[in-house]
Amino acid sequence: MDPPSGARSIVVQVEGMTCSSCVQTIEQHIGKLNGVHVIKVSLDEKNATIVYNPKEQIPESLQEAIEDMGFDAVLGDTNP
Amino acid sequence: MPKHEFFVDMTCEGCLNAVTRVLNKLGGVQFEVDLPNKKVSIDSNHSVDTLLDTLKKTGKNTSYLGEK
């Protein structure tokens, strides 16, 4: 999965997921947002790795989108 | 206050918590969640549409079952 140039990736800590269905819902819902290229959610590590287009999304908007779904989201490391 | 019943496709505690949190965020609601039957009963002055939109935020399949 080679992200297009200019894409950034962030890791968001997500609390409150307990099963694979929570994981799927987040992947489907966030994956549909504009500017989100790739999302990978890990239940074991309780986080979501999101590759996004910084022109269309910012870390805070992605965090808010996850919180809107009813989970606790905390921004982690940014790896440009 | 009218009591509305919704079907929400919840499968685990995590789903239930997610539903609880979005409803609490909306405010002005009293609700009971029935996980085994995938039902949420809500006491509220909000319109059915508002409630349905709120439940849909969780990204789960949701439908209105009717007044109770």
Side-chain angles (χ1 to χ4, degrees):
Chain A
M1 54 182 208
D2 276 338
S5 61
R8 297 219 185 129
S9 99
I10 51 160
V11 177
V12 185
Q13 298 296 322
V14 184
E15 295 288 335
M17 303 184 292
T18 54
C19 70
S20 57
S21 126
C22 305
V23 169
Q24 273 180 17
T25 336
I26 295 182
E27 284 187 341
Q28 281 168 10
H29 194 77
I30 304 298
K32 269 190 288 190
L33 297 177
N34 284 337
V36 175
H37 298 301
V38 182
I39 173 161
K40 182 83 197 76
V41 178
S42 161
L43 188 58
D44 289 337
E45 291 166 30
K46 292 187 177 164
N47 64 21
T49 309
I50 308 171
V51 180
Y52 65 101
N53 179 346
K55 290 192 183 108
E56 291 183 86
Q57 293 286 347
I58 53 169
E60 284 75 16
S61 63
L62 296 168
Q63 176 192 17
E64 205 181 295
I66 298 178
E67 290 201 330
D68 268 355
M69 293 181 66
F71 297 95
D72 249 338
V74 178
L75 291 176
D77 297 332
T78 343
N79 3 286
Chain B
M1 249 194 288
K3 191 167 188 129
H4 302 290
E5 226 181 13
F6 296 87
F7 166 85
V8 182
D9 196 7
M10 303 172 286
T11 49
C12 68
E13 286 293 308
C15 310
L16 189 158
N17 287 336
V19 169
T20 306
R21 294 179 64 144
V22 290
L23 285 174
N24 282 334
K25 232 182 213 182
L26 176 70
V29 290
Q30 282 194 310
F31 57 93
E32 282 164 40
V33 185
D34 178 350
L35 188 56
N37 293 317
K38 302 185 177 186
K39 275 183 193 168
V40 182
S41 321
I42 308 176
D43 252 330
S44 169
N45 286 323
H46 290 293
S47 71
V48 169
D49 283 346
T50 307
L51 296 172
L52 200 56
D53 281 349
T54 305
L55 291 170
K56 277 187 178 160
K57 278 190 188 169
T58 59
K60 302 184 190 309
N61 277 334
T62 306
S63 54
Y64 181 49
L65 295 174
E67 252 178 71
K68 206 175 169 184

